[in-house]
Amino acid sequence: MSSRELILGRVRRALADVPPDDTPYEDAVARDYLREHGERTAAQDVELLAENLADYRALVHRCDEGELPALLARLLAERKAATVLVPPGLDPAWLAESDVTRVADRPESGPHELDAVDSVVTACAVAVAETGTIVLDAGPDQGRRRITLVPDHHVCVVRAPAQVVSSVPQALERLDPRRPATWISGPSATSDIELDRVEGVHGPRTLEVVIVG
Amino acid sequence: MSGTFVGMPAFPKAAREAVADTTLRGNLRHATHTIRAKREAAVAEVSDWAALREAGKQIKDHTLRHLDRYLVQLEEAVTAAGGTVHWAVDADEANRIVTRLVKETGESEVVKVKSMATQEIGLNEALEAEGIRAYETDLAELIVQLGRDRPSHILVPAIHRNRGEIRDIFRAEMGAWGRPAPEGLTDTPADLAEAARLHLREKFLRAKVGISGANFMVAETGTLVVVESEGNGRMCLTLPETLISVVGIEKIVPTWRDLEVFLQTLPRSSTAERMNPYTSMWTGAEGDGAGGGDGPRTFHLVLLDNGRTDTLADEVGRQALRCIRCSACLNVCPVYERAGGHAYGSVYPGPIGAILSPQLRGTGSEIDASLPYASSLCGACYEVCPVAIDIPEVLVHLRERVVEGGPVTRAGNKAVLKPAKGHAAERAAMRAAGWAFARPGVLRAGQRLASRTRGLHPRTLPGPGRAWSATRDLPAVPAEPFRDWWQRTNGGATEEGTAK
Ligand code: SF4
C-alpha cells in the first residue's frame, strides 16, 4: 500500500465518529466577525495606512500625481543610490526626473546582480490600512518577488485611494491566489536577541512607502 | 515523531535543573512577560477577537473532521499548479523523501526556513548523515544551530540565550560554517544581526535548494503560506531553483477566504504585531501561475503524518491539531516560565507541547508520560489560544490515559494502553507541580488565574477516571501545600520525602 493510501486510510478510520451528513463547510463556520474594524471614509483609511506603516518603521511620504517623479528622484538622491531596479511594467514617467542608472529586472538576472543594486522602486497590488501592509503580487509594475527582497532599499508606490482597502478580508478578496503574493508590513525585522527589535536582517533595511493621491 | 530528545530526562527532573539555572530563568521571564503584555494590547485593538477566535476554531475543526477530503483536494490543486505532492507516514519516510529530492538536484547544501515540522522529524541530522549540509537561516535558529543547542520556544527559539552568549557563539562557530564573524564583534543586537546578515547572505545567494514548512495550505487553490519577520523565509522561498516544503497534514484550511481569519489572529497572538513584516503566498511552481518566471522552477510538497492521524483518532485530544503554533500559550504559562522550553523534551514546548508531544509520540517514554503533568491547570493557555484549544481538558484526559490506561491509536492501529506502573505517574505529578508551586509568586499567580479563568480544578475526574480520583486528590490541588512539600523534600530531591 502506498503511503498516500495508508495515511488517507488512517485519517478515515480516525474519523469514524464523524457522521456522513456532518455540517457542510458553508454552514460550519460562523462568519460573524467584522469585515473591517471601525467606520472610516476612504481618506481616513489612507491616513490610517500611513500611520500604521510609520508605526512599523516604514518611512511614509505623501504626494499628488504630479509631484511623484520629483519625490522619487529626491528619495533616490538622498539615499545616494547609483543604481535602481525597475520592474518591466513600471510607469516610465515615475522615474523621469531621476538620473540614477536604471537596471532592468530580467528573468536571467541572478541574485548576485540584484545584490549589487542600491534601490528598487515598485508599485503594489493593494495596501491594508488596519495593519499597515502593502501587498505585492508580482504584477508587471512590481516585478519578481526577489527584487524587493535582495536590495537594501525598497521604495513602494501606493495609489490612493484606489489601492487602499480597510482590512485583511478586503485585501484577500482583491488578490488572485494563482499569483505569488508578498505581504510587507514594515521593513525586515528581528526580535530574536533579547527581544530587542532590529531592522533589516535579510530583507531591505529601509522601506519607503509613497502614497500618491 | 522521531522520538524524544536523546537522553532526555522526564519533565520533573529537567524542570528542576532548569529552575536552578538563574540566567535561563531571567531570560525567559523577561521574554514571556514582554510578549504577553504586548499581545494583550494587540488583541485589544480588534473588537471582534472572540468572533475571530471562534471562526478559527470552527474552520480548523471542520477541516479536521473532513481531513481526507481536504487532503485529496489540496493534492489535486498543488499538482494542477505544477507542484509534486509526496506523502510521508513518519519521520523516517519524510527524511528519505527530502534526502532523495535534494540528491536528485545534485546539490550538497540547502537553506532552510524555520520550521517546526522539519525539526520534529530531525531533518537536519538526517541530511547531514547523507552528506548534505542544511543551513538554518532564521536568526534564532542560526544561534541554536551554531551553538549545537536545541530550540526552547516556538517563536523565539534562542530566547534562553542572552546577547553575550550569542556573541561568543558567533565568534567561536561562524567560521566553521562559512563567513566568520566580523573582527571586534560586539554584543549589541544590531551588530549581531548584521553579522548574521553577512554570514547568511552568501548562502542565500548561492543556494539552489530551499526547504521550508508552511503555516497554512489552502485546499481550494493549492496555495502555501509562510509567515515571518526577517526575510530569510522570502530568500529561501524565492531564490533557489528547487523548493521543498514539509508540512503536517493538519495545516490545511479549506478556502482562500479562510486566510482572512488566521492572518488576523496569528500575528497578534504570536509576535503581538498587527501584521508580521513578511507573509509569502505561493501556488505551485514557477511558470504555471500568472506570475510566471518568479520563484523556484520545481516545487515539492511533503505531507507529513508522523503521529497526526493517531492524534486525530482521539476525540478529546484531536483539538490539539487545531494549533497554529502562535506560542501565546507558552508566554502565559507559569510552568513554562520556570522550566524553560528544553524541559519538555520536544520541539513543541509549553502547554501545547504538553498535549501534542504525548499524542504524537505516545506515552511510552518517561518524559512523554510526565508531560501531561507539566501544568498547573490554571487555564491561562486556553484563554489566550486563538483557536480555543482547551489545553486543560486535554491534559486531564491524557493524565487519565497515563494512569488508567485505555484505548489509544498508535501507528494507525488500535491498542489498549496499560496503566502506568506503580505510582510513577503520581510521583511525576507531585514533582512537576511541586516546583512550580514552590515560589509564592507563581503560586499566587496560578491561584488567581485558576479562580478567575475556569472551574477546571476538578476534585474528581469524570468517566473512567473517577475510580482513580475518588481516592486521590488531583495533583493541582495537593493535600500538602507545595511550598511545604518543596521545603521538606528539597524540591523532591529526597525521594523518601514524598512518602505519606
Ligand atoms: S495551542 Fe493555541 S496558543 Fe498554543 S501555540 Fe497553539 S494556537 Fe497558539
Side-chain angles (χ1 to χ4, degrees):
Chain A
M1 200 194 305
S2 73
S3 296
R4 180 183 187 278
E5 295 317 311
L6 199 61
I7 293 172
L8 286 173
R10 285 182 184 181
V11 170
R12 286 175 189 135
R13 281 201 303 282
L15 296 173
D17 62 301
V18 177
D21 61 346
D22 199 41
T23 316
Y25 170 78
E26 293 68 33
D27 305 326
V29 185
R31 307 264 175 195
D32 46 10
Y33 48 87
L34 303 171
R35 299 306 296 166
E36 58 187 293
H37 297 89
E39 282 183 23
R40 287 176 301 272
T41 62
Q44 284 168 328
D45 264 339
V46 175
E47 282 303 321
L48 184 62
L49 173 69
E51 223 174 88
N52 283 339
L53 277 163
D55 196 29
Y56 281 15
R57 303 194 200 176
L59 308 175
V60 182
H61 312 272
R62 307 281 298 267
C63 69
D64 62 34
E65 191 85 39
E67 295 162 342
L68 181 62
L71 177 59
L72 289 177
R74 175 165 71 78
L75 295 180
L76 293 172
E78 279 173 3
R79 180 81 190 180
K80 298 194 174 60
T83 48
V84 58
L85 251 169
V86 183
L90 196 83
D91 184 346
W94 287 7
L95 287 173
E97 290 182 36
S98 171
D99 50 11
V100 176
T101 307
R102 284 131 170 92
V103 180
D105 174 39
R106 297 164 300 127
E108 59 276 17
S109 25
H112 283 98
E113 286 166 67
L114 300 177
D115 195 31
V117 177
D118 295 318
S119 300
V120 55
V121 176
T122 71
C124 72
V126 62
V128 189
E130 284 182 8
T131 57
T133 306
I134 51 174
V135 186
L136 310 188
D137 71 354
D141 53 4
Q142 300 149 55
R144 296 182 298 166
R145 286 173 286 175
R146 57 179 61 186
I147 71 168
T148 54
L149 173 64
V150 182
D152 206 15
H153 180 222
H154 176 199
V155 184
C156 180
V157 177
V158 180
R159 274 162 290 206
Q163 289 189 313
V164 180
V165 297
S166 192
S167 66
V168 169
Q170 293 167 355
L172 280 161
E173 271 167 16
R174 287 213 191 176
L175 294 168
D176 178 350
R178 288 166 304 176
R179 308 186 70 92
T182 305
W183 297 49
I184 301 174
S185 310
S188 156
T190 184
S191 299
D192 281 343
I193 303 164
E194 296 184 18
L195 296 178
D196 265 2
R197 191 176 165 104
V198 180
E199 260 89 53
V201 199
H202 305 303
R205 275 177 280 210
T206 311
L207 171 67
E208 303 206 59
V209 179
V210 179
I211 302 176
V212 187
Chain B
M1 259 175 139
S2 62
T4 54
F5 286 171
V6 181
M8 192 66 208
F11 181 84
K13 181 158 181 297
R16 196 159 53 234
E17 284 161 14
V19 170
D21 182 340
T22 50
T23 311
L24 172 76
R25 278 224 332 264
N27 293 353
L28 271 175
R29 194 186 144 74
H30 170 66
T32 54
H33 284 245
T34 308
I35 307 178
R36 197 191 301 181
K38 278 176 62 191
R39 179 201 156 272
E40 272 172 31
V43 166
E45 264 187 26
V46 214
S47 54
D48 59 339
W49 186 260
L52 283 168
R53 182 180 189 241
E54 184 60 25
K57 169 181 187 265
Q58 290 173 350
I59 291 168
K60 283 282 188 172
D61 270 349
H62 169 83
T63 314
L64 291 170
R65 288 169 75 84
H66 303 276
L67 192 58
D68 49 338
R69 203 172 81 216
Y70 287 116
L71 279 165
V72 171
Q73 191 187 8
L74 175 78
E75 179 184 47
E76 283 167 7
V78 170
T79 309
T84 309
V85 176
H86 311 260
W87 301 69
V89 168
D90 56 18
D92 284 346
E93 185 172 21
N95 287 332
R96 276 200 309 276
I97 292 169
V98 177
T99 308
R100 173 172 59 78
L101 292 173
V102 176
K103 282 189 169 167
E104 281 171 7
T105 67
E107 294 296 313
S108 59
E109 60 177 40
V110 300
V111 285
K112 280 191 67 205
V113 194
K114 174 173 180 280
S115 130
M116 311 286 316
T118 59
Q119 277 170 18
E120 175 189 319
I121 61 175
L123 178 64
N124 290 10
E125 293 76 11
L127 289 172
E128 195 77 54
E130 295 289 321
I132 298 162
R133 213 159 203 205
Y135 295 114
E136 291 293 348
T137 65
D138 172 78
L139 177 53
E141 292 291 348
L142 175 72
I143 295 166
V144 168
Q145 185 174 48
L146 292 177
R148 295 184 196 84
D149 201 357
R150 298 186 186 290
S152 64
H153 191 284
I154 294 177
L155 172 70
V156 273
I159 200 61
H160 55 291
R161 297 286 198 186
N162 62 30
R163 59 185 73 189
E165 293 177 293
I166 295 168
R167 181 204 46 206
D168 295 345
I169 291 170
F170 278 12
R171 277 186 180 165
E173 305 294 339
M174 266 186 174
W177 291 81
R179 182 174 175 144
E183 285 292 314
L185 179 65
T186 76
D187 67 357
T188 61
D191 240 31
L192 295 169
E194 175 70 15
R197 181 186 176 97
L198 295 170
H199 177 81
L200 288 172
R201 189 154 279 228
E202 61 168 27
K203 298 188 168 49
F204 288 133
L205 297 188
R206 70 165 188 246
K208 297 280 185 289
V209 183
I211 296 181
S212 83
N215 294 88
F216 306 101
M217 308 187 280
V218 182
E220 166 189 58
T221 61
T223 307
L224 269 74
V225 182
V226 165
V227 167
E228 51 134 0
S229 295
E230 296 175 8
N232 65 304
R234 293 180 62 195
M235 292 272 185
C236 298
L237 298 170
T238 59
L239 296 185
E241 287 164 10
T242 301
L243 172 61
I244 305 167
S245 299
V246 182
V247 189
I249 52 173
E250 81 283 17
K251 293 266 175 132
I252 300 184
V253 298
T255 66
W256 174 254
R257 182 185 176 187
D258 292 327
L259 294 176
E260 72 190 17
V261 173
F262 300 106
L263 287 182
Q264 294 191 80
T265 51
L266 177 57
R268 288 179 200 265
S269 299
S270 177
T271 48
E273 293 167 303
R274 292 185 194 104
M275 188 65 91
N276 47 287
Y278 295 134
T279 298
S280 295
M281 302 177 184
W282 74 96
T283 305
E286 165 185 312
D288 288 72
D294 184 26
R297 279 198 289 273
T298 310
F299 171 59
H300 295 279
L301 172 60
V302 181
L303 293 171
L304 179 70
D305 179 347
N306 206 33
R308 285 161 176 76
T309 49
D310 292 342
T311 309
L312 193 67
D314 187 317
E315 287 173 42
V316 178
R318 178 184 295 168
Q319 57 184 305
L321 298 175
R322 292 205 295 260
C323 177
I324 56 173
R325 314 276 190 261
C326 72
S327 77
C329 58
L330 277 62
N331 300 325
V332 295
C333 178
V335 176
Y336 173 85
E337 186 189 321
R338 294 310 192 276
H342 291 155
Y344 294 80
S346 152
V347 296
Y348 303 107
I352 182 60
I355 61 168
L356 195 55
S357 307
Q359 295 201 81
L360 292 177
R361 303 192 294 213
T363 47
S365 75
E366 207 191 337
I367 177 115
D368 286 321
S370 69
L371 280 176
Y373 294 95
S375 165
S376 62
L377 295 183
C378 75
C381 48
Y382 168 69
E383 288 240 312
V384 297
C385 179
V387 283
I389 300 174
D390 195 338
I391 295 177
E393 181 190 21
V394 182
L395 283 167
V396 171
H397 171 71
L398 292 176
R399 287 179 187 187
E400 191 184 311
R401 272 285 163 281
V402 169
V403 172
E404 283 283 291
V408 290
T409 304
R410 298 307 307 157
N413 296 314
K414 292 213 185 326
V416 177
L417 188 74
K418 286 204 196 71
K421 278 206 194 69
H423 295 287
E426 274 176 276
R427 264 203 319 275
M430 287 295 284
R431 289 210 207 136
W435 60 265
F437 283 85
R439 280 155 211 287
V442 195
L443 180 60
R444 271 199 307 279
Q447 284 170 338
R448 235 186 2 252
L449 280 164
S451 54
R452 185 167 61 88
T453 51
R454 53 211 322 273
L456 231 169
H457 263 262
R459 287 274 173 171
T460 53
L461 289 167
R466 182 166 297 139
W468 179 74
S469 54
T471 53
R472 298 161 177 90
D473 280 342
L474 280 184
V477 201
E480 179 185 20
F482 272 106
R483 276 172 295 183
D484 300 355
W485 173 84
W486 176 271
Q487 285 201 325
R488 182 165 61 75
T489 64
N490 187 22
T494 48
E495 191 59 37
E496 321 73 75
T498 56
K500 297 241 170 98

